Amino acid sequence: MGSLHRLLALAAPLALALQPACTPPAAPPLAAKVASPAVAASSAAPESLLVAGDSGTVSTTDEIIVGIQKLETLVAVRPAVESEQPALLRRLAEAYVDLESTALRDQLDRETRTGSARVHNPSEVAARSAEAERSARIVAAARKNAIKNYEALATRYPTYCAAADLHCGDEVLYFLAYEHQQSKHDDDARRVYLDLIKRFPQSKYVPDAYLAFAEWLFLEAQSDPARLVLAEQAYRKAAELPPPGNRIWGYAHYKLAYVYWSQGDMPRALAEIKQVIEFAAKFPALPNAERLGVTARKDLVPIFALAGDPLKAFAFFKTLSGDPAGETRGALAMSVELGQSYLDTGHYGECVALDLDLLQRAPGEATCKLIAQLDRAIPGVGQAGATAVKAALEKHKKLVAAARAGCGGPVDEGRPGAIHKCAPTDPCSGL
Protein backbone atom coordinates (compact mmCIF):
# COMPACT_ATOMS: atom_id res chain seq x y z
CA MET A 1 0.00 0.00 0.00
CA GLY A 2 2.98 2.30 0.47
CA SER A 3 3.57 2.88 -3.23
CA LEU A 4 -0.15 3.34 -3.81
CA HIS A 5 -0.33 5.92 -1.04
CA ARG A 6 2.59 7.83 -2.54
CA LEU A 7 1.01 7.75 -6.01
CA LEU A 8 -2.31 9.05 -4.76
CA ALA A 9 -0.81 11.61 -2.41
CA LEU A 10 0.95 13.21 -5.36
CA ALA A 11 -2.35 14.21 -6.94
CA ALA A 12 -2.55 17.96 -6.38
CA PRO A 13 -5.37 20.03 -7.91
CA LEU A 14 -4.53 22.54 -10.62
CA ALA A 15 -7.06 24.28 -12.86
CA LEU A 16 -5.21 23.20 -15.98
CA ALA A 17 -5.82 20.78 -18.83
CA LEU A 18 -3.75 18.93 -21.36
CA GLN A 19 -4.41 20.01 -24.90
CA PRO A 20 -4.68 17.14 -27.37
CA ALA A 21 -6.77 17.62 -30.47
CA CYS A 22 -10.13 17.82 -28.73
CA THR A 23 -11.71 18.01 -25.31
CA PRO A 24 -12.65 14.70 -23.70
CA PRO A 25 -16.24 14.15 -22.62
CA ALA A 26 -17.26 14.53 -19.03
CA ALA A 27 -16.79 11.57 -16.74
CA PRO A 28 -19.78 9.23 -16.45
CA PRO A 29 -22.45 10.39 -13.99
CA LEU A 30 -22.49 9.28 -10.40
CA ALA A 31 -24.25 6.11 -9.42
CA ALA A 32 -27.82 6.98 -8.50
CA LYS A 33 -28.22 7.81 -4.84
CA VAL A 34 -30.93 6.08 -2.85
CA ALA A 35 -34.02 8.23 -2.53
CA SER A 36 -34.74 9.41 1.01
CA PRO A 37 -37.70 7.61 2.61
CA ALA A 38 -40.64 9.49 4.05
CA VAL A 39 -39.90 11.30 7.32
CA ALA A 40 -41.84 11.52 10.57
CA ALA A 41 -43.76 14.70 11.35
CA SER A 42 -42.18 17.49 13.39
CA SER A 43 -42.34 21.27 13.46
CA ALA A 44 -38.80 22.35 14.41
CA ALA A 45 -36.88 24.65 12.05
CA PRO A 46 -33.10 24.35 12.46
CA GLU A 47 -31.13 27.56 12.27
CA SER A 48 -28.92 26.10 9.52
CA LEU A 49 -31.86 26.28 7.12
CA LEU A 50 -33.00 29.84 7.76
CA VAL A 51 -31.18 30.93 4.60
CA ALA A 52 -33.81 29.04 2.63
CA GLY A 53 -36.80 30.40 4.46
CA ASP A 54 -37.15 33.77 2.77
CA SER A 55 -39.73 32.77 0.19
CA GLY A 56 -43.44 32.68 0.75
CA THR A 57 -44.10 30.32 -2.13
CA VAL A 58 -44.26 26.55 -1.96
CA SER A 59 -41.75 24.90 -4.27
CA THR A 60 -39.94 21.61 -4.64
CA THR A 61 -37.00 22.93 -2.66
CA ASP A 62 -39.31 24.21 0.07
CA GLU A 63 -40.99 20.83 0.35
CA ILE A 64 -37.60 19.15 0.72
CA ILE A 65 -36.64 21.71 3.36
CA VAL A 66 -39.76 20.84 5.38
CA GLY A 67 -38.76 17.18 5.32
CA ILE A 68 -35.21 18.05 6.35
CA GLN A 69 -36.49 20.08 9.30
CA LYS A 70 -38.43 17.06 10.50
CA LEU A 71 -35.39 14.83 10.17
CA GLU A 72 -33.18 17.34 11.99
CA THR A 73 -35.63 17.26 14.89
CA LEU A 74 -35.61 13.47 15.01
CA VAL A 75 -31.83 13.42 15.12
CA ALA A 76 -31.83 16.06 17.88
CA VAL A 77 -34.56 14.63 20.14
CA ARG A 78 -33.69 10.93 19.89
CA PRO A 79 -29.93 10.75 20.41
CA ALA A 80 -30.39 8.19 23.17
CA VAL A 81 -31.78 5.63 20.73
CA GLU A 82 -28.36 4.76 19.37
CA SER A 83 -29.60 2.04 17.04
CA GLU A 84 -31.66 4.61 15.10
CA GLN A 85 -28.94 7.23 14.73
CA PRO A 86 -27.03 5.86 11.71
CA ALA A 87 -30.20 5.40 9.66
CA LEU A 88 -31.35 8.92 10.56
CA LEU A 89 -27.98 10.43 9.70
CA ARG A 90 -27.99 8.64 6.36
CA ARG A 91 -31.51 9.81 5.57
CA LEU A 92 -30.59 13.35 6.57
CA ALA A 93 -27.46 13.38 4.43
CA GLU A 94 -29.42 12.09 1.45
CA ALA A 95 -32.14 14.68 2.02
CA TYR A 96 -29.54 17.45 1.91
CA VAL A 97 -28.15 15.96 -1.31
CA ASP A 98 -31.67 15.98 -2.77
CA LEU A 99 -32.02 19.62 -1.75
CA GLU A 100 -28.62 20.45 -3.27
CA SER A 101 -29.50 18.79 -6.57
CA THR A 102 -32.94 20.41 -6.80
CA ALA A 103 -31.65 23.87 -5.90
CA LEU A 104 -28.77 23.55 -8.36
CA ARG A 105 -31.21 22.63 -11.11
CA ASP A 106 -33.36 25.63 -10.18
CA GLN A 107 -30.31 27.91 -10.14
CA LEU A 108 -29.18 26.85 -13.60
CA ASP A 109 -32.70 27.10 -14.99
CA ARG A 110 -33.21 30.59 -13.58
CA GLU A 111 -29.83 31.78 -14.81
CA THR A 112 -30.69 30.51 -18.29
CA ARG A 113 -34.09 32.19 -18.27
CA THR A 114 -32.55 35.39 -16.90
CA GLY A 115 -30.22 35.57 -19.88
CA SER A 116 -33.04 35.06 -22.36
CA ALA A 117 -35.24 37.72 -20.72
CA ARG A 118 -32.51 40.34 -20.32
CA VAL A 119 -33.44 42.50 -23.28
CA HIS A 120 -37.18 42.17 -22.97
CA ASN A 121 -38.07 42.76 -19.32
CA PRO A 122 -35.52 44.30 -16.90
CA SER A 123 -37.78 43.78 -13.86
CA GLU A 124 -38.17 40.11 -14.67
CA VAL A 125 -34.40 39.85 -15.03
CA ALA A 126 -33.92 41.30 -11.56
CA ALA A 127 -36.46 38.92 -10.02
CA ARG A 128 -34.94 35.87 -11.67
CA SER A 129 -31.44 36.96 -10.68
CA ALA A 130 -32.58 37.15 -7.06
CA GLU A 131 -34.14 33.69 -7.35
CA ALA A 132 -30.93 32.29 -8.82
CA GLU A 133 -28.92 33.81 -5.97
CA ARG A 134 -31.28 32.27 -3.44
CA SER A 135 -30.90 28.88 -5.12
CA ALA A 136 -27.11 29.27 -5.03
CA ARG A 137 -27.24 29.95 -1.27
CA ILE A 138 -29.40 26.87 -0.77
CA VAL A 139 -26.95 24.75 -2.80
CA ALA A 140 -24.02 25.90 -0.65
CA ALA A 141 -25.87 25.36 2.63
CA ALA A 142 -27.22 21.95 1.56
CA ARG A 143 -23.79 20.77 0.40
CA LYS A 144 -22.21 21.85 3.69
CA ASN A 145 -24.82 19.97 5.70
CA ALA A 146 -24.62 16.87 3.51
CA ILE A 147 -20.87 16.77 4.20
CA LYS A 148 -21.46 17.24 7.94
CA ASN A 149 -23.88 14.32 8.15
CA TYR A 150 -21.91 11.96 5.89
CA GLU A 151 -18.81 12.78 7.96
CA ALA A 152 -20.67 12.02 11.19
CA LEU A 153 -21.98 8.74 9.79
CA ALA A 154 -18.55 7.67 8.48
CA THR A 155 -16.81 8.58 11.75
CA ARG A 156 -19.28 7.35 14.35
CA TYR A 157 -20.72 4.34 12.51
CA PRO A 158 -18.05 3.10 10.06
CA THR A 159 -19.52 -0.42 9.86
CA TYR A 160 -23.16 0.59 9.45
CA CYS A 161 -25.21 -0.98 6.66
CA ALA A 162 -28.86 -0.24 5.93
CA ALA A 163 -29.17 -3.95 5.11
CA ALA A 164 -26.77 -6.79 4.42
CA ASP A 165 -24.17 -5.45 1.94
CA LEU A 166 -26.47 -2.52 1.11
CA HIS A 167 -25.71 1.20 1.57
CA CYS A 168 -22.63 0.51 3.67
CA GLY A 169 -19.57 2.46 4.73
CA ASP A 170 -17.94 2.38 1.31
CA GLU A 171 -20.92 4.14 -0.24
CA VAL A 172 -20.95 6.72 2.54
CA LEU A 173 -17.25 7.48 1.95
CA TYR A 174 -17.79 7.72 -1.79
CA PHE A 175 -20.65 10.21 -1.46
CA LEU A 176 -18.74 12.16 1.19
CA ALA A 177 -15.69 12.46 -1.08
CA TYR A 178 -17.88 13.51 -4.00
CA GLU A 179 -19.55 16.25 -1.96
CA HIS A 180 -16.10 17.50 -0.92
CA GLN A 181 -15.17 17.64 -4.62
CA GLN A 182 -18.29 19.63 -5.41
CA SER A 183 -17.32 22.06 -2.65
CA LYS A 184 -13.79 22.38 -4.08
CA HIS A 185 -12.36 20.79 -0.92
CA ASP A 186 -9.93 18.68 -2.93
CA ASP A 187 -7.61 17.84 -0.04
CA ASP A 188 -10.54 16.48 1.96
CA ALA A 189 -11.84 14.61 -1.09
CA ARG A 190 -8.46 12.93 -1.63
CA ARG A 191 -8.28 11.98 2.04
CA VAL A 192 -11.69 10.31 1.93
CA TYR A 193 -11.10 8.57 -1.41
CA LEU A 194 -7.85 7.14 -0.07
CA ASP A 195 -9.69 5.95 3.06
CA LEU A 196 -12.25 4.24 0.81
CA ILE A 197 -9.53 2.44 -1.16
CA LYS A 198 -7.71 1.28 1.98
CA ARG A 199 -10.74 0.21 4.01
CA PHE A 200 -12.90 -1.25 1.23
CA PRO A 201 -10.55 -2.60 -1.47
CA GLN A 202 -13.31 -4.77 -2.96
CA SER A 203 -15.92 -1.99 -3.13
CA LYS A 204 -17.62 -1.18 -6.41
CA TYR A 205 -16.72 2.47 -5.72
CA VAL A 206 -12.97 1.86 -5.76
CA PRO A 207 -12.76 2.45 -9.56
CA ASP A 208 -14.43 5.84 -9.06
CA ALA A 209 -11.91 6.73 -6.36
CA TYR A 210 -8.98 5.85 -8.60
CA LEU A 211 -10.60 7.78 -11.44
CA ALA A 212 -10.77 10.89 -9.26
CA PHE A 213 -7.04 10.64 -8.49
CA ALA A 214 -6.27 10.00 -12.15
CA GLU A 215 -8.16 13.12 -13.20
CA TRP A 216 -6.26 15.27 -10.70
CA LEU A 217 -2.96 13.89 -11.92
CA PHE A 218 -3.95 14.32 -15.56
CA LEU A 219 -4.77 17.98 -14.98
CA GLU A 220 -1.56 18.60 -13.09
CA ALA A 221 0.49 17.15 -15.95
CA GLN A 222 0.05 20.38 -17.90
CA SER A 223 2.77 21.93 -15.78
CA ASP A 224 4.59 18.70 -14.90
CA PRO A 225 4.50 16.10 -17.73
CA ALA A 226 6.01 13.50 -15.39
CA ARG A 227 2.57 13.28 -13.77
CA LEU A 228 1.28 11.55 -16.88
CA VAL A 229 2.98 8.35 -15.76
CA LEU A 230 1.15 8.53 -12.43
CA ALA A 231 -2.11 9.36 -14.18
CA GLU A 232 -1.65 6.31 -16.40
CA GLN A 233 -1.22 4.10 -13.32
CA ALA A 234 -4.33 5.51 -11.68
CA TYR A 235 -6.44 5.12 -14.84
CA ARG A 236 -5.23 1.53 -15.09
CA LYS A 237 -6.33 0.91 -11.50
CA ALA A 238 -9.71 2.48 -12.28
CA ALA A 239 -10.13 0.02 -15.16
CA GLU A 240 -9.03 -3.11 -13.30
CA LEU A 241 -12.57 -4.31 -12.65
CA PRO A 242 -14.27 -5.35 -15.90
CA PRO A 243 -17.55 -4.01 -17.29
CA PRO A 244 -20.47 -4.04 -16.92
CA GLY A 245 -19.83 -4.06 -13.17
CA ASN A 246 -17.34 -1.26 -13.63
CA ARG A 247 -19.35 1.48 -15.34
CA ILE A 248 -16.37 3.83 -15.71
CA TRP A 249 -14.18 1.26 -17.50
CA GLY A 250 -14.72 2.84 -20.91
CA TYR A 251 -14.02 6.37 -19.70
CA ALA A 252 -10.81 5.26 -17.97
CA HIS A 253 -9.55 3.71 -21.21
CA TYR A 254 -10.63 6.81 -23.12
CA LYS A 255 -8.47 8.95 -20.86
CA LEU A 256 -5.61 6.45 -21.21
CA ALA A 257 -5.77 7.18 -24.93
CA TYR A 258 -5.31 10.85 -24.10
CA VAL A 259 -2.35 10.06 -21.87
CA TYR A 260 -0.61 8.19 -24.71
CA TRP A 261 -1.68 10.83 -27.23
CA SER A 262 -0.06 13.49 -25.06
CA GLN A 263 3.10 11.39 -24.82
CA GLY A 264 3.20 10.92 -28.60
CA ASP A 265 2.65 7.16 -28.30
CA MET A 266 0.07 6.97 -31.09
CA PRO A 267 -0.11 3.17 -31.52
CA ARG A 268 -1.09 2.76 -27.85
CA ALA A 269 -3.50 5.69 -28.10
CA LEU A 270 -5.12 4.04 -31.12
CA ALA A 271 -5.42 0.72 -29.29
CA GLU A 272 -7.13 2.40 -26.33
CA ILE A 273 -9.60 4.31 -28.50
CA LYS A 274 -10.44 1.07 -30.30
CA GLN A 275 -11.21 -0.59 -26.96
CA VAL A 276 -13.50 2.30 -25.99
CA ILE A 277 -15.52 2.00 -29.21
CA GLU A 278 -15.87 -1.75 -28.73
CA PHE A 279 -16.90 -1.18 -25.10
CA ALA A 280 -19.62 1.28 -26.15
CA ALA A 281 -20.96 -1.14 -28.75
CA LYS A 282 -21.02 -4.06 -26.29
CA PHE A 283 -22.50 -2.20 -23.30
CA PRO A 284 -24.76 0.51 -24.77
CA ALA A 285 -27.02 0.54 -21.70
CA LEU A 286 -24.25 1.67 -19.34
CA PRO A 287 -24.36 5.36 -18.34
CA ASN A 288 -22.75 7.61 -20.93
CA ALA A 289 -21.59 4.65 -23.06
CA GLU A 290 -23.31 5.77 -26.25
CA ARG A 291 -21.95 9.31 -26.05
CA LEU A 292 -18.49 7.99 -25.22
CA GLY A 293 -18.56 5.78 -28.32
CA VAL A 294 -19.53 8.71 -30.56
CA THR A 295 -16.75 10.88 -29.15
CA ALA A 296 -14.19 8.07 -29.42
CA ARG A 297 -15.03 7.59 -33.11
CA LYS A 298 -14.33 11.27 -33.71
CA ASP A 299 -10.97 10.99 -31.97
CA LEU A 300 -10.14 7.80 -33.83
CA VAL A 301 -9.56 9.68 -37.08
CA PRO A 302 -6.87 12.18 -35.96
CA ILE A 303 -5.11 9.47 -33.97
CA PHE A 304 -5.12 7.12 -36.97
CA ALA A 305 -3.73 9.95 -39.10
CA LEU A 306 -0.63 9.90 -36.90
CA ALA A 307 -0.31 6.17 -36.42
CA GLY A 308 -2.11 4.16 -39.10
CA ASP A 309 -1.48 2.92 -42.62
CA PRO A 310 -3.67 4.80 -45.13
CA LEU A 311 -4.07 1.65 -47.22
CA LYS A 312 -5.58 -0.13 -44.20
CA ALA A 313 -7.76 2.76 -43.05
CA PHE A 314 -11.06 1.80 -44.68
CA ALA A 315 -10.91 -1.80 -43.44
CA PHE A 316 -9.99 -0.60 -39.95
CA PHE A 317 -12.80 1.95 -39.79
CA LYS A 318 -15.29 -0.53 -41.17
CA THR A 319 -15.02 -2.64 -38.00
CA LEU A 320 -15.53 0.36 -35.73
CA SER A 321 -17.86 2.68 -37.65
CA GLY A 322 -21.10 1.32 -36.24
CA ASP A 323 -22.46 0.74 -39.75
CA PRO A 324 -25.30 -1.78 -40.02
CA ALA A 325 -24.46 -5.04 -41.76
CA GLY A 326 -23.92 -4.54 -45.46
CA GLU A 327 -23.44 -0.77 -45.21
CA THR A 328 -20.22 1.23 -45.30
CA ARG A 329 -21.39 4.84 -45.16
CA GLY A 330 -19.93 5.50 -41.71
CA ALA A 331 -16.60 3.91 -42.60
CA LEU A 332 -16.47 5.94 -45.79
CA ALA A 333 -17.24 9.18 -43.95
CA MET A 334 -14.47 8.45 -41.43
CA SER A 335 -12.07 7.69 -44.28
CA VAL A 336 -12.90 10.94 -46.07
CA GLU A 337 -12.36 12.78 -42.78
CA LEU A 338 -9.00 11.03 -42.46
CA GLY A 339 -8.03 12.42 -45.85
CA GLN A 340 -8.83 15.89 -44.56
CA SER A 341 -6.66 15.23 -41.49
CA TYR A 342 -3.81 14.25 -43.77
CA LEU A 343 -4.24 17.49 -45.69
CA ASP A 344 -4.41 19.58 -42.52
CA THR A 345 -1.21 18.04 -41.15
CA GLY A 346 0.75 18.14 -44.39
CA HIS A 347 0.76 14.38 -45.00
CA TYR A 348 0.06 14.78 -48.72
CA GLY A 349 1.48 11.45 -49.89
CA GLU A 350 -0.68 9.59 -47.38
CA CYS A 351 -3.73 11.53 -48.58
CA VAL A 352 -3.08 10.53 -52.20
CA ALA A 353 -2.62 6.88 -51.23
CA LEU A 354 -5.82 6.90 -49.14
CA ASP A 355 -7.98 8.56 -51.80
CA LEU A 356 -6.79 6.24 -54.57
CA ASP A 357 -7.51 3.25 -52.33
CA LEU A 358 -11.00 4.57 -51.55
CA LEU A 359 -11.77 5.14 -55.24
CA GLN A 360 -11.03 1.46 -55.82
CA ARG A 361 -12.94 0.20 -52.80
CA ALA A 362 -16.02 2.36 -53.19
CA PRO A 363 -16.36 3.40 -56.82
CA GLY A 364 -19.00 6.05 -57.35
CA GLU A 365 -19.19 6.97 -53.66
CA ALA A 366 -17.95 10.30 -52.28
CA THR A 367 -15.94 10.73 -55.47
CA CYS A 368 -16.19 14.51 -55.48
CA LYS A 369 -14.64 14.85 -52.06
CA LEU A 370 -11.92 12.36 -52.90
CA ILE A 371 -11.08 14.16 -56.15
CA ALA A 372 -11.04 17.49 -54.31
CA GLN A 373 -8.62 16.06 -51.76
CA LEU A 374 -6.41 14.65 -54.52
CA ASP A 375 -6.31 18.03 -56.24
CA ARG A 376 -5.10 19.64 -53.04
CA ALA A 377 -2.70 16.88 -52.01
CA ILE A 378 -0.81 16.29 -55.29
CA PRO A 379 0.86 19.73 -55.48
CA GLY A 380 1.98 19.39 -51.88
CA VAL A 381 3.88 16.14 -52.32
CA GLY A 382 7.60 16.79 -51.93
CA GLN A 383 10.38 15.54 -54.15
CA ALA A 384 10.95 12.50 -51.97
CA GLY A 385 7.48 11.14 -52.67
CA ALA A 386 6.85 12.59 -56.10
CA THR A 387 7.99 9.51 -58.01
CA ALA A 388 5.78 7.11 -56.06
CA VAL A 389 2.76 9.41 -56.30
CA LYS A 390 3.24 9.90 -60.03
CA ALA A 391 3.41 6.14 -60.55
CA ALA A 392 0.28 5.58 -58.47
CA LEU A 393 -1.65 8.23 -60.38
CA GLU A 394 -0.55 6.75 -63.70
CA LYS A 395 -1.63 3.29 -62.57
CA HIS A 396 -5.11 4.53 -61.67
CA LYS A 397 -5.41 7.12 -64.41
CA LYS A 398 -8.67 5.77 -65.82
CA LEU A 399 -10.22 5.39 -62.37
CA VAL A 400 -9.40 9.00 -61.45
CA ALA A 401 -10.63 10.28 -64.81
CA ALA A 402 -13.94 8.46 -64.44
CA ALA A 403 -14.38 9.78 -60.90
CA ARG A 404 -13.58 13.31 -62.01
CA ALA A 405 -16.07 13.09 -64.86
CA GLY A 406 -18.78 12.07 -62.39
CA CYS A 407 -18.35 15.22 -60.33
CA GLY A 408 -20.94 17.70 -61.56
CA GLY A 409 -20.64 21.45 -61.20
CA PRO A 410 -17.66 23.75 -61.02
CA VAL A 411 -15.13 24.06 -58.25
CA ASP A 412 -16.57 25.92 -55.26
CA GLU A 413 -13.99 28.64 -54.73
CA GLY A 414 -15.79 29.94 -51.65
CA ARG A 415 -14.79 26.99 -49.47
CA PRO A 416 -11.33 26.21 -48.06
CA GLY A 417 -9.42 24.02 -50.46
CA ALA A 418 -11.79 24.70 -53.35
CA ILE A 419 -13.94 21.64 -52.63
CA HIS A 420 -15.75 20.33 -55.71
CA LYS A 421 -19.51 20.34 -55.69
CA CYS A 422 -21.18 16.95 -55.68
CA ALA A 423 -23.33 15.82 -58.52
CA PRO A 424 -26.99 15.39 -57.51
CA THR A 425 -26.63 11.61 -57.69
CA ASP A 426 -23.27 11.46 -55.88
CA PRO A 427 -23.61 9.62 -52.52
CA CYS A 428 -21.05 12.00 -51.03
CA SER A 429 -23.88 14.51 -50.56
CA GLY A 430 -24.49 14.88 -46.87
CA LEU A 431 -21.25 13.27 -45.74
Side-chain angles (χ1 to χ4, degrees):
M1 182 62 71
S3 60
L4 169 63
H5 190 282
R6 286 194 299 273
L7 185 157
L8 300 181
L10 283 169
L14 291 177
L16 301 167
L18 292 177
Q19 300 177 19
C22 68
T23 304
L30 283 174
K33 292 185 173 68
V34 180
S36 301
V39 296
S42 178
S43 58
E47 184 176 345
S48 62
L49 288 173
L50 291 181
V51 66
D54 57 359
S55 171
T57 60
V58 177
S59 66
T60 303
T61 53
D62 291 332
E63 290 171 352
I64 297 174
I65 288 169
V66 170
I68 287 175
Q69 291 170 343
K70 296 172 182 177
L71 271 175
E72 289 275 14
T73 300
L74 283 176
V75 171
V77 302
R78 304 187 67 176
V81 187
E82 188 68 15
S83 61
E84 296 181 3
Q85 281 296 296
L88 287 173
L89 287 173
R90 176 61 188 254
R91 289 165 61 187
L92 187 55
E94 293 294 340
Y96 275 116
V97 170
D98 289 343
L99 177 61
E100 174 192 345
S101 300
T102 302
L104 182 59
R105 181 196 64 207
D106 291 345
Q107 177 190 351
L108 296 175
D109 178 63
R110 284 161 179 162
E111 288 174 349
T112 301
R113 288 188 290 124
T114 297
S116 64
R118 189 171 302 279
V119 221
H120 306 292
N121 190 336
S123 62
E124 185 178 358
V125 168
R128 288 180 179 175
S129 295
E131 291 174 349
E133 290 175 5
R134 174 180 180 266
S135 295
R137 295 198 303 273
I138 295 175
V139 169
R143 192 172 285 156
K144 179 178 179 180
N145 281 281
I147 289 173
K148 181 185 75 173
N149 286 284
Y150 277 133
E151 190 81 63
L153 182 56
T155 303
R156 291 161 52 188
Y157 308 100
T159 60
Y160 165 74
C161 287
D165 298 322
L166 182 65
H167 316 323
C168 297
D170 59 335
E171 188 172 74
V172 170
L173 290 175
Y174 171 61
F175 290 155
L176 172 59
Y178 178 76
E179 291 300 320
H180 275 309
Q181 276 189 278
Q182 295 298 97
S183 298
K184 309 301 181 185
H185 301 159
D186 290 337
D187 287 341
D188 289 322
R190 283 191 289 274
R191 169 183 58 80
V192 177
Y193 277 133
L194 183 59
D195 195 24
L196 167 61
I197 292 170
K198 293 169 65 176
R199 287 172 52 192
F200 301 95
Q202 304 304 317
S203 169
K204 67 178 182 179
Y205 296 105
V206 164
D208 297 88
Y210 277 114
L211 180 64
F213 281 108
E215 297 284 68
W216 278 312
L217 289 161
F218 184 82
L219 292 175
E220 191 181 27
Q222 175 68 32
S223 60
D224 182 5
R227 301 284 183 169
L228 280 176
V229 176
L230 299 174
E232 177 192 2
Q233 295 174 16
Y235 284 126
R236 288 285 175 203
K237 294 294 290 184
E240 274 190 352
L241 294 177
N246 183 358
R247 62 190 174 78
I248 56 95
W249 188 95
Y251 182 78
H253 279 279
Y254 182 86
K255 292 303 291 286
L256 278 168
Y258 266 67
V259 168
Y260 298 134
W261 195 345
S262 301
Q263 292 173 328
D265 190 344
M266 307 315 294
R268 295 185 75 180
L270 190 63
E272 294 295 336
I273 284 290
K274 181 175 182 291
Q275 286 194 74
V276 174
I277 295 172
E278 292 170 344
F279 158 84
K282 187 174 182 180
F283 303 104
L286 287 182
N288 227 30
E290 183 177 357
R291 179 190 169 197
L292 192 61
V294 170
T295 307
R297 284 192 182 94
K298 292 180 180 177
D299 287 341
L300 183 65
V301 173
I303 294 177
F304 191 95
L306 298 172
D309 181 345
L311 298 181
K312 297 179 180 178
F314 183 80
F316 182 76
F317 292 150
K318 188 176 179 180
T319 64
L320 301 171
S321 65
D323 283 327
E327 294 187 17
T328 59
R329 187 172 181 79
L332 181 60
M334 294 172 75
S335 300
V336 171
E337 186 181 346
L338 175 62
Q340 187 61 47
S341 290
Y342 282 142
L343 287 173
D344 293 342
T345 55
H347 291 78
Y348 300 114
E350 288 86 346
C351 183
V352 172
L354 171 71
D355 289 339
L356 290 176
D357 181 67
L358 292 177
L359 286 174
Q360 296 175 76
R361 290 177 176 273
E365 294 191 19
T367 52
C368 293
K369 291 192 176 184
L370 298 177
I371 291 299
Q373 288 180 358
L374 279 173
D375 288 346
R376 289 181 59 194
I378 292 170
V381 176
Q383 291 183 350
T387 302
V389 167
K390 184 177 180 180
L393 289 170
E394 183 63 30
K395 179 180 178 181
H396 301 293
K397 184 176 180 179
K398 291 183 179 180
L399 182 66
V400 173
R404 190 181 299 280
C407 289
V411 172
D412 185 351
E413 300 291 349
R415 296 183 59 188
I419 302 299
H420 292 250
K421 292 181 177 178
C422 293
T425 57
D426 193 331
C428 75
S429 298
L431 279 180

